[in-house]
Amino acid sequence: MESTFAVLADPHRREILDVLRAGERPVNDLVERLALTQPAVSKHLKVLREAGLVDVRRDAQRRWYRLCPGPLAAVDAWLAPYRLLWEQSLDALERRLDGMDG
């Protein structure tokens, strides 16, 4: 799980995952969308692939990348208790605001 967090710490890698949420994309599309060099995008994709967060499919000369959300389940599980704390704080704020209406 630590490696997933380390991989997600980079903003360019998070941006790649955000783009891939919409569907499979070729490398050149990612280069254009991220305004990074092709070697930089390839380096980030390699790290994401090694972490299991993306998968690659070859189609002749093109490589298509797609999101693999499986490793994100561990991150979501780790965040669950913190999400509960946030929701409890929002519920308390809502009760407080509701009490001010009267």
Side-chain angles (χ1 to χ4, degrees):
M1 183 164 60
E2 288 177 4
S3 64
T4 301
F5 283 108
V7 169
L8 294 174
D10 186 282
H12 294 299
R13 293 183 197 135
R14 290 193 310 270
E15 191 174 1
I16 289 171
L17 295 178
D18 288 342
V19 171
L20 294 178
R21 265 194 345 236
E24 200 174 48
R25 295 274 189 255
V27 172
N28 290 338
D29 188 38
L30 294 170
V31 169
E32 288 176 23
R33 300 274 308 259
L34 292 135
L36 294 173
T37 65
Q38 192 277 330
V41 171
S42 292
K43 178 182 139 191
H44 289 301
L45 286 168
K46 179 182 179 190
V47 172
L48 289 166
R49 197 174 61 248
E50 288 173 351
L53 289 163
V54 300
D55 190 27
V56 63
R57 175 178 65 85
R58 285 183 159 223
D59 181 25
Q61 299 289 20
R62 297 179 94 184
R63 288 187 173 151
W64 292 78
Y65 286 85
R66 66 180 157 258
L67 180 66
C68 296
L72 295 175
V75 174
D76 185 56
W78 183 82
L79 286 171
Y82 297 96
R83 193 176 303 111
L84 181 61
L85 288 172
W86 181 253
E87 289 170 0
Q88 289 171 346
S89 296
L90 289 175
D91 289 344
L93 176 61
E94 182 179 22
R95 285 191 302 276
R96 172 82 177 190
L97 293 174
D98 286 345
M100 297 174 77
D101 287 342

